Amino acid sequence: MEKLFPKLQIINENGEWNDETYRSEITEELTKELYKKMLRSRLFDRKGVNLQRQGRIGTYVPFEGQEASQIGSALAMGEGDWMFPTYRDHAATMTFGHSLKTLFLYWKGRQEGCIPPEGKNIFPPAVPIASQLLHATGTAWAEKLKGTDRASIVYFGDGATSEGDFHEGLNFASVFNAPVVFFNQNNGFAISVPIEKQMKSKTIAQKAVAYEMEGVRLDGNDVFAVYFHTRTAVERARKGEGPTLIESVTWRYGAHTTADDPSKYRDQNESATRREKTDPILRLERFMKNENIWDEKWAEELHESLTAEIEAAVKEMEETPAPHYNDVFDHVFAENPWPIESQKEAYAHSRGDR
Amino acid sequence: MTTAVDTKKLTMVQAVTDGMRVMMKEHENVIVLGEDVGQNGGVFRATDGLVSEFGEKRVIDTPLAESGIIGTSIGLAMNGFKPIAEMQFLGFIYPAFNQIMTHASRIRARTLGHFTVPMVIRAPFGAGVRAPEIHSDSVEALFTGMPGMKVVVPSNPYDAKGMLISAIEDPDPVLFLEPMRCYRSTKMDVPEGKYNVPLGKAARLQEGSDVSVFAYGAMIDVVTKAAKSAEEKGIKCDVIDLRTLYPLDKDMIAESVQKTGRAVIVHEAPGTGGLGETIMSLINDTSFLYMKAPVERVTGFDTPVPMFALEDHYLPSADRVVQAIEKVTQF
């Protein structure tokens, strides 16, 4: 099965060409844009971990190492498409339209962190595992019924493929030919459980065979491979040629969350040494050097301006006024039923507010 | 001046079909999906004829997967459709519980109203029709205890159609429970066009001054018989069909018990954690000083609904209800 689903790659670990199909499209401009987006998300991610350590936000879910998978795939989506992230996919959602402030607000425990900007169909992070595959299938199916060419993309990890909703999602999408891209980030571990204990199959992409849909396995640390192959899947969906299951093979360097200690279940030295080979940002840097489009000064300035942008977002997040407690009560139903209304009044009274 | 309204004699299940038909005619975005709802017309024939009238794009036979039905309905509802998802039996809803609990009921709250899932989940439920195991569960309390869900139970054909129309028009997810025992037990004049029976409002079925009797769904038939027996013993019951379980009609419950000073609550769902407890606390909150006797409950037991050779023992009977009525009046 591994032979049937080879790990597609465009640029290898040394930043050299492996597949020149898209050479004419891989311009200096695109390369720099991808580098910028990846660095932006990494600096954001490290800031997130730091803020949690300082007690300035709650538990945070880092994604360092998965930038290429998330950014390459998100960039393949168009205006009006739908995105269904998990709690680890802030690089994807910031690429698709979330502001950094909104993302920080989410981890600050603010409902506002679930709300996308006007006109962007970004669903709040799915916290249960694999349930969001069905939402993506439903929205995509709705677009098909409406006769548009909009598609949905949904993110999930390797552990999610053991859940019933993974299979129900693929099956419904297949039966109804829904324009949805199932984007799996296989980062090797579901919290502490390694993939070998999660499934006997050698690849996740092969699971597409059971649903008569396209299955693609790619090097999830090669941002070009992710971008171009996802784009192909999205185009296929738009043309009515059905859903695709993409397995993007990647690695998370850090913990599952800031509440997790990965040294309990794996050798973190191994994770650190993997960087040399797999770090998607380092790979792009090597490629840019090979192509003579690396500019040290540009990189330094970029680093500076992105740091400033992130610091500004942290400031905005911290200066956002505290939410009013009525937000607890006022959005459960379109109109408050009496039990919630009377609880709201009683609570206000207990605070001496009325 | 009165306006003549054309009516048809319908059973409850026919009234349910008619409610869907009326709304599908009026709104293109109303779709029906579930297992066997298309060509087969549903195992109870609740969707009979809809596929030939509206086509397979709007009356959709889905794969056999409850979580899949609810999960995709959430996506459809978020994106402009009004799905009416059929669970073949309420006892089969458990694989979909996660979707309802973690997504459908709370997405409005999670996004401060940015995303909503206006959908209806229809589910036949309840014992007394000699169904196989698991088919007879009354687990409405799982959903009345779920913030963000409305839960309604009609007990007759007129209410079934009018409440289903209200549920379809509701901007929030509604669990629409259909008591199987009532599906074909009576026929009733039902208006042909569109009309609403509002959610959140109970109905007084019988006026009485001695004891308030609260019930819903298939238990309405049981309490009506019990009230008749009580009347022969000189006890006049105020019989209330709750109709909506979340939110309850607080005003009518309070008004009734403040008049009678006594209450009997009847449901076939298990007693512990059941609606009866919520109604008792409501009576406590609103009417404590009016009460002349402790509130009595007649409920199903805290046991699984047994296989049908035993189900008559499980179900509240008119005799048990009469005993409860006598107990509160003789207190």
Side-chain angles (χ1 to χ4, degrees):
Chain A
M1 274 293 181
E2 270 179 299
K3 279 184 191 157
L4 286 175
F5 295 94
K7 207 156 69 174
L8 303 176
Q9 198 179 59
I10 290 174
I11 304 297
N12 71 16
E13 287 80 0
N14 300 319
E16 296 153 347
W17 290 96
N18 188 18
D19 170 4
E20 303 204 13
T21 311
Y22 301 98
R23 186 162 194 143
S24 65
E25 291 189 64
I26 299 178
T27 59
E28 179 176 343
E29 193 191 354
L30 175 67
T31 307
K32 284 188 163 172
E33 185 61 25
L34 289 169
Y35 185 88
K36 179 186 168 183
K37 284 184 158 47
M38 288 207 284
L39 185 62
R40 182 173 182 248
S41 67
R42 176 158 298 180
L43 294 173
F44 172 92
D45 196 53
R46 289 185 174 172
K47 188 72 190 177
V49 174
N50 285 339
L51 290 173
Q52 189 279 332
R53 298 279 181 253
Q54 294 164 16
R56 291 159 74 187
I57 59 174
T59 301
Y60 176 77
V61 178
F63 57 79
E64 184 162 340
Q66 299 183 213
E67 293 90 347
S69 288
Q70 295 189 22
I71 288 158
S73 55
L75 206 63
M77 304 309 293
E79 284 286 325
D81 287 339
W82 291 80
M83 179 174 283
F84 294 83
T86 73
Y87 43 71
R88 197 186 303 287
D89 299 315
H90 347 312
T93 56
M94 75 173 71
T95 302
F96 199 52
H98 262 320
S99 69
L100 303 187
K101 173 194 168 190
T102 302
L103 292 167
F104 280 135
L105 281 174
Y106 181 80
W107 295 109
K108 182 82 177 161
R110 296 288 297 260
Q111 304 288 149
E112 293 87 342
C114 289
I115 305 173
E118 195 62 37
K120 292 285 180 187
N121 297 322
I122 307 173
F123 209 58
V127 178
I129 304 301
S131 53
Q132 73 278 15
L133 273 73
L134 285 157
H135 310 155
T137 301
T139 52
W141 184 7
E143 295 294 349
K144 188 187 157 197
L145 290 169
K146 289 195 266 189
T148 75
D149 69 347
R150 291 175 172 182
S152 299
I153 188 167
V154 54
Y155 293 91
F156 54 102
D158 33 296
T161 65
S162 299
E163 289 273 10
D165 278 359
F166 165 80
H167 299 278
E168 295 191 26
L170 263 62
N171 189 43
F172 270 66
S174 167
V175 168
F176 297 110
N177 211 41
V180 53
V181 177
F182 296 102
F183 194 89
N184 169 258
Q185 290 172 84
N186 176 357
N187 69 10
F189 282 85
I191 304 189
S192 68
V193 176
I195 188 133
E196 304 78 46
K197 287 185 180 173
Q198 192 70 237
M199 62 190 73
K200 196 172 178 186
S201 54
K202 292 282 186 290
T203 75
I204 286 167
Q206 74 193 60
K207 295 172 194 282
V209 174
Y211 301 99
E212 196 72 25
M213 69 170 72
E214 286 290 321
V216 178
R217 188 163 196 254
L218 48 81
D219 183 338
N221 299 317
D222 171 5
V223 71
F224 294 124
V226 178
Y227 172 63
F228 287 105
H229 292 296
T230 309
R231 198 181 70 176
T232 303
V234 177
E235 282 165 3
R236 192 160 45 232
R238 291 198 204 292
K239 281 190 282 186
E241 291 169 13
T244 302
L245 170 62
I246 295 176
E247 175 186 1
S248 186
V249 182
T250 181
W251 189 262
R252 74 167 144 87
Y253 294 128
H256 167 67
T257 71
T258 50
D260 168 47
D261 173 12
S263 66
K264 282 189 75 180
Y265 52 83
R266 71 183 189 193
D267 179 2
Q268 276 301 93
N269 289 327
E270 187 209 329
S271 194
T273 52
R274 271 177 179 263
R275 268 182 197 279
E276 186 57 27
K277 201 174 170 194
T278 63
D279 185 339
I281 298 182
L282 196 55
R283 184 183 314 195
L284 202 59
E285 186 178 323
R286 285 173 181 150
F287 171 76
M288 290 167 83
K289 283 174 178 165
N290 292 343
E291 295 290 303
N292 292 317
I293 54 173
W294 179 258
D295 177 343
E296 205 64 52
K297 189 161 172 279
W298 169 81
E300 269 174 34
E301 285 173 6
L302 186 63
H303 203 286
E304 258 173 47
S305 70
L306 292 174
T307 304
E309 184 194 355
I310 289 161
E311 290 302 331
V314 173
K315 191 162 179 282
E316 275 188 85
M317 176 266 285
E318 293 191 325
E319 286 175 354
T320 303
H324 194 278
Y325 58 78
N326 277 348
D327 277 354
V328 171
F329 302 101
D330 287 345
H331 303 281
V332 182
F333 293 95
E335 200 177 317
N336 261 350
W338 70 262
I340 294 180
E341 196 56 31
S342 67
Q343 288 158 7
K344 176 180 160 183
E345 278 171 25
Y347 184 67
H349 185 73
S350 76
R351 293 174 53 94
D353 286 356
R354 73 179 78 149
Chain B
M1 195 181 102
T2 54
T3 312
V5 179
D6 287 335
T7 60
K8 281 183 286 194
K9 283 240 182 270
L10 297 181
T11 61
M12 180 191 272
V13 71
Q14 289 168 332
V16 166
T17 316
D18 208 39
M20 285 189 275
R21 182 182 291 119
V22 165
M23 293 305 280
M24 290 183 84
K25 259 189 186 164
E26 195 162 300
H27 302 286
E28 281 230 327
N29 66 338
V30 176
I31 58 174
V32 168
L33 69 164
E35 292 153 13
D36 304 303
V37 299
Q39 214 54 49
N40 191 38
V43 292
F44 289 100
R45 306 286 171 263
T47 53
D48 213 16
L50 295 180
V51 73
S52 54
E53 193 172 347
F54 299 103
E56 288 187 356
K57 274 192 173 173
R58 295 184 63 198
V59 183
I60 303 149
D61 276 323
T62 64
L64 199 164
E66 288 76 13
S67 186
I69 293 165
I70 300 300
T72 52
S73 291
I74 290 168
L76 287 157
M78 269 169 22
N79 198 2
F81 286 85
K82 172 64 92 168
I84 306 173
E86 179 177 296
M87 293 285 104
Q88 213 153 60
F89 293 86
L90 184 64
F92 297 174
I93 206 167
Y94 309 123
F97 190 82
N98 181 40
Q99 285 288 350
I100 306 170
M101 183 74 193
T102 63
H103 294 292
S105 64
R106 72 173 77 195
I107 191 59
R108 182 189 284 278
R110 289 182 74 208
T111 61
L112 302 177
H114 185 89
F115 287 113
T116 62
V117 287
M119 61 188 279
V120 177
I121 304 169
R122 291 183 39 246
F125 85 121
V129 296
R130 306 293 183 246
E133 275 191 285
I134 321 289
H135 291 61
S136 306
D137 288 10
S138 281
V139 287
E140 55 271 26
L142 295 180
F143 300 94
T144 53
M146 181 186 279
M149 285 298 290
K150 288 181 184 165
V151 182
V152 303
V153 188
S155 68
N156 62 64
Y158 180 90
D159 283 354
K161 179 174 170 183
M163 286 168 68
L164 182 56
I165 289 169
S166 296
I168 294 167
E169 288 180 336
D170 198 276
D172 288 303
V174 179
L175 180 62
F176 191 85
L177 296 172
E178 299 164 8
M180 286 185 271
R181 266 169 92 177
C182 302
Y183 262 160
R184 296 188 171 85
S185 58
T186 50
K187 280 199 170 189
M188 206 175 192
D189 282 330
V190 173
E192 289 202 350
K194 190 186 149 193
Y195 66 94
N196 290 82
V197 173
L199 308 186
K201 296 283 176 212
R204 176 173 277 111
L205 303 182
Q206 184 182 312
E207 182 89 38
S209 52
D210 295 326
V211 53
S212 302
V213 181
F214 301 105
Y216 53 91
M219 287 299 109
I220 291 301
D221 184 47
V222 173
V223 299
T224 305
K225 282 178 184 144
K228 208 172 162 206
S229 302
E231 189 152 17
E232 285 162 12
K233 297 175 185 181
I235 305 166
K236 293 193 175 68
C237 295
D238 210 41
V239 180
I240 309 286
D241 180 354
L242 294 166
R243 297 200 292 197
T244 295
L245 309 186
Y246 192 93
L248 284 163
D249 188 345
K250 177 177 74 164
D251 294 340
M252 188 177 275
I253 294 169
E255 187 236 312
S256 178
V257 294
Q258 287 175 15
K259 177 177 70 183
T260 63
R262 300 179 183 90
V264 172
I265 306 161
V266 183
H267 59 66
E268 66 176 90
T272 299
L275 255 287
E277 294 182 349
T278 307
I279 296 164
M280 285 171 85
S281 74
L282 194 56
I283 292 170
N284 187 57
D285 288 348
T286 59
S287 314
F288 182 72
L289 292 176
Y290 294 83
M291 299 310 285
K292 299 170 189 159
V295 176
E296 273 295 308
R297 287 180 299 147
V298 183
T299 71
F301 308 123
D302 289 5
T303 67
V305 180
M307 290 174 76
F308 67 77
L310 285 168
E311 73 180 348
D312 288 344
H313 294 288
Y314 175 91
L315 280 169
S317 63
D319 283 348
R320 281 173 63 199
V321 176
V322 172
Q323 286 168 25
I325 290 170
E326 287 178 330
K327 192 172 170 189
V328 295
T329 47
Q330 289 163 15
F331 179 78

